[in-house]
Amino acid sequence: MSAVLAAVTVLTCAGCGAAPSGQTGTVPSGTEPSGTGSSDERPEVFSQDEYLLYQNVFYADYGKEADGKKVEKEGVLASIYDAYNGKMRYYVWGYYDQTKCCDWQWEIVPQDAGSLPPVGSLVVASGTFASSEDALDGYWITDASVKVKTEYRGPTAERDMRSLSCTLERVQMLNVIYRKESFEGARFLAYGRIASSGSLEDPYYDNSWEIDMIWDGEVPAIGTLVEVSGTIRDGKLAVESINEM
């Protein structure tokens, strides 16, 4: 794994203190699906318990204790293309709380990637938590069955970064910037803050990532949180629409 990608998990706890046990929001973690629906709105998952567990696994060496155990995770389905290793990676993820600056994400190895619902869907993934050198951060959930709770039916794109946590979007953006040939011509959705009249940056953190934008229209004020869409060209975002969030 490259040094660029290996460092990404550090971002997750930036600016966040110790997370108390408990959870907030309308979607609890670790519950059974209660029927499949669909929505044009992207679901949001909030779990302080899941965030605390995530921190313990990756920062307090708890991963060794959990290795080999059966787990079940409820969250938003996401995918990133890892151009460094030439493979698609899948995740279920959520936020610590409604500030949305702190997040957690578990990499999964689905039993059948071809039958997964659209990214952005609310799912429950069940499998075995396992250590692996092939996992991006050293652990993943293998042989994962994925049950759909709410199938996302809204706008999407080949590289749908609107369905990614802040941390996962950072990983994907660094791939786009440093392995640009793998993303040439891909349609994208993304979100972030206006960094300048010609660039977009991480939605919450300074000095995380910044990418050039090609855009002829009016640009919102610096610091405005926006959603952008268009085509990736030469490691840049050729933007066709900008909407304030």
Side-chain angles (χ1 to χ4, degrees):
M1 179 171 58
S2 73
V4 172
L5 293 179
V8 70
T9 310
V10 176
L11 178 64
T12 309
C13 65
C16 296
S21 180
Q23 59 190 30
T24 60
T26 58
V27 182
S29 176
T31 58
E32 286 292 335
S34 57
T36 302
S38 62
S39 176
D40 291 338
E41 300 295 324
R42 298 177 190 274
E44 294 180 341
V45 175
F46 304 94
S47 176
Q48 294 181 15
D49 282 346
E50 205 66 41
Y51 179 78
L52 179 61
L53 178 61
Y54 182 78
Q55 293 290 304
N56 285 334
V57 165
F58 290 104
Y59 299 103
D61 209 27
Y62 179 71
K64 295 177 182 178
E65 298 294 326
D67 199 355
K69 292 183 178 179
K70 296 292 184 180
V71 295
E72 183 177 89
K73 303 295 182 184
E74 181 174 314
V76 177
L77 180 67
S79 69
I80 63 173
Y81 182 66
D82 175 3
Y84 288 86
N85 294 294
K87 65 185 299 181
M88 196 71 73
R89 296 185 183 272
Y90 301 93
Y91 293 83
V92 291
W93 69 274
Y95 297 109
Y96 167 68
D97 61 17
Q98 278 85 354
T99 63
K100 301 182 182 180
C101 67
C102 297
D103 48 51
W104 47 266
Q105 41 272 311
W106 303 105
E107 185 174 359
I108 66 171
V109 182
Q111 292 175 348
D112 182 7
S115 65
L116 291 173
V119 295
S121 298
L122 178 63
V123 301
V124 175
S126 304
T128 302
F129 189 77
S131 60
S132 174
E133 293 183 355
D134 294 327
L136 191 58
D137 288 313
Y139 293 98
W140 55 16
I141 298 171
T142 63
D143 193 33
S145 63
V146 178
K147 299 179 181 179
V148 183
K149 290 195 72 173
T150 304
E151 185 170 324
Y152 174 63
R153 290 292 192 179
T156 189
E158 182 180 355
R159 294 273 47 88
D160 183 359
M161 290 176 273
R162 275 294 284 120
S163 291
L164 301 181
S165 67
C166 175
T167 298
L168 292 175
E169 187 180 35
R170 178 176 187 259
V171 176
Q172 191 65 95
M173 283 296 187
L174 292 177
N175 271 263
V176 170
I177 294 168
Y178 294 109
R179 290 291 186 272
K180 58 186 180 181
E181 64 280 355
S182 297
F183 301 91
E184 186 66 22
R187 301 287 299 175
F188 76 87
L189 287 172
Y191 67 110
R193 291 176 297 164
I194 297 297
S196 70
S197 60
S199 64
L200 187 75
E201 66 177 347
D202 188 289
Y204 304 112
Y205 297 103
D206 295 332
N207 305 313
S208 168
W209 57 264
E210 184 173 336
I211 191 168
D212 290 339
M213 293 193 305
I214 304 168
W215 170 248
D216 295 329
E218 183 177 349
V219 178
I222 291 175
T224 302
L225 185 64
V226 297
E227 176 182 294
V228 295
S229 66
T231 304
I232 298 171
R233 295 179 186 169
D234 193 30
K236 304 177 180 65
L237 303 182
V239 174
E240 296 171 7
S241 69
I242 297 180
N243 297 299
E244 294 187 20
M245 294 175 60

